[in-house]
Amino acid sequence: MKLKSFIVTSLLLSFYFNQLHAQTTYDLGLYLGGVNYYGEIGKKAFVAPNRAFFGVIGKMNFTEKLSARASITYLTLADNDRDANDGFRGNGRGRDLYYSFEHTNIEGVVALEFVPFSFFKNKPNPIDFYIYGGLGAIYGDEAYYPLSTGFEDVESVVYGTRTRLTVPMGAGFKTFVGRNFMLGIELAPRYSFSDNLDGSYPDDERVEPNRLVNFENNDWYTYLGLTLTYRFGKGSNAYCDCTL
């Protein structure tokens, strides 16, 4: 009896995975747009792109609802207290003292993407609303600020590089343009496990005295981007009865 149950279960699982493989499609293309940092330096704005980013993105679509995605992007994070819109940073932190930085980074992300619902589902090209979350890492400049008594503009000094873990998340809309190309737009915040993307809180003990007063928690940065990908694989026709 146990043998029969094992055989039946194995056949059902085999059938399921074969069907899943038969439906799998792949997207590969470009990921680009604007990005901004949010932390101890400059403007306090969660979504305010001030630098461009670009990269590549790939997706493996298991079903019309669920996909795995991965991306690699090149980005610059930058801000300046003189652009701040609050009464502390924007007024020189009480000492006519303004901090600024501009750091280059490379980010890698893997995530799961889910489509909870679609618009115009019965039309040839439905618009999918999607959300995603996963794990990532950002590799880039490690910096500090020279000590100052005030009355000057202080730029960050890069003294090395470092890899930090991130938690990527996002939401957006995507639809086919033509038969095999898909266009998407998304808002994608990143929480980093670092408070030194801006140079305000260096980890190196040699520059611990250079740490700024920590008014915030770990640093964030936010993408506002476009994806343009090409669909290939079985069932990759945009005009099929699906919302991939």
Side-chain angles (χ1 to χ4, degrees), residues 164-219:
R164 300 113 169 165
L165 293 178
T166 64
V167 178
M169 60 198 85
F173 298 91
K174 61 182 180 180
T175 188
F176 278 102
V177 286
R179 186 168 293 276
N180 291 95
F181 286 95
M182 177 166 278
L183 179 67
I185 181 171
E186 67 178 40
L187 179 66
R190 307 292 201 244
Y191 172 79
S192 74
F193 288 93
S194 171
D195 199 19
N196 201 45
L197 295 181
D198 51 14
S200 67
Y201 205 78
D203 293 326
D204 194 313
E205 61 182 14
R206 294 173 297 174
V207 287
E208 281 186 4
N210 299 65
R211 291 177 178 176
L212 305 187
V213 177
N214 183 19
F215 293 102
E216 308 289 345
N217 294 312
N218 287 351
D219 297 331

Side-chain angles (χ1 to χ4, degrees), residues 229-241:
T229 57
Y230 181 80
R231 169 68 50 83
F232 60 95
K234 296 180 179 179
S236 60
N237 187 342
Y239 297 92
C240 67
D241 184 18

Side-chain angles (χ1 to χ4, degrees), residues 4-228:
K4 289 183 178 179
S5 298
F6 175 76
I7 293 173
V8 171
T9 302
S10 299
L11 289 174
L12 289 174
L13 287 174
S14 177
F15 176 77
Y16 171 78
F17 285 113
N18 284 336
Q19 289 296 107
L20 189 63
H21 177 71
Q23 298 174 19
T24 300
T25 58
Y26 304 89
D27 299 333
L28 184 62
L30 301 176
Y31 186 29
L32 67 163
V35 62
N36 68 278
Y37 140 95
Y38 178 85
E40 285 78 26
I41 307 298
K43 185 183 296 184
K44 288 185 177 181
F46 197 68
V47 183
N50 61 1
R51 293 295 187 275
F53 77 88
F54 63 90
V56 294
I57 186 169
K59 298 182 183 183
M60 178 185 295
N61 307 301
F62 303 114
T63 70
E64 65 179 42
K65 295 287 189 181
L66 183 65
S67 305
R69 59 183 278 165
S71 62
I72 297 176
T73 56
Y74 176 85
L75 64 150
T76 298
L77 298 178
D79 220 326
N80 191 319
D81 280 348
R82 289 194 176 275
D83 298 326
N85 50 9
D86 70 319
F88 179 68
R89 303 177 190 180
N91 290 324
R93 300 175 181 254
R95 295 183 293 155
D96 197 26
L97 177 63
Y98 300 90
Y99 293 101
S100 64
F101 74 97
E102 186 161 354
H103 300 157
T104 58
N105 303 270
I106 297 175
E107 181 204 63
V109 164
V110 291
L112 287 177
E113 181 177 297
F114 177 68
V115 177
F117 59 87
S118 303
F119 300 97
F120 313 112
K121 189 174 177 64
N122 296 322
K123 300 296 182 180
N125 285 354
I127 299 175
D128 293 337
F129 170 75
Y130 66 89
I131 56 176
Y132 74 85
L135 293 173
I138 182 170
Y139 171 80
D141 294 336
E142 182 78 353
Y144 69 94
Y145 291 98
L147 296 175
S148 173
T149 57
F151 304 98
E152 65 176 328
D153 288 29
V154 181
E155 296 182 359
S156 67
V157 175
V158 175
Y159 68 92
T161 56
R162 190 182 181 97
T163 299
R164 300 113 169 165
L165 293 178
T166 64
V167 178
M169 60 198 85
F173 298 91
K174 61 182 180 180
T175 188
F176 278 102
V177 286
R179 186 168 293 276
N180 291 95
F181 286 95
M182 177 166 278
L183 179 67
I185 181 171
E186 67 178 40
L187 179 66
R190 307 292 201 244
Y191 172 79
S192 74
F193 288 93
S194 171
D195 199 19
N196 201 45
L197 295 181
D198 51 14
S200 67
Y201 205 78
D203 293 326
D204 194 313
E205 61 182 14
R206 294 173 297 174
V207 287
E208 281 186 4
N210 299 65
R211 291 177 178 176
L212 305 187
V213 177
N214 183 19
F215 293 102
E216 308 289 345
N217 294 312
N218 287 351
D219 297 331
W220 291 73
Y221 55 102
T222 304
Y223 291 124
L224 183 60
L226 295 173
T227 60
L228 180 61

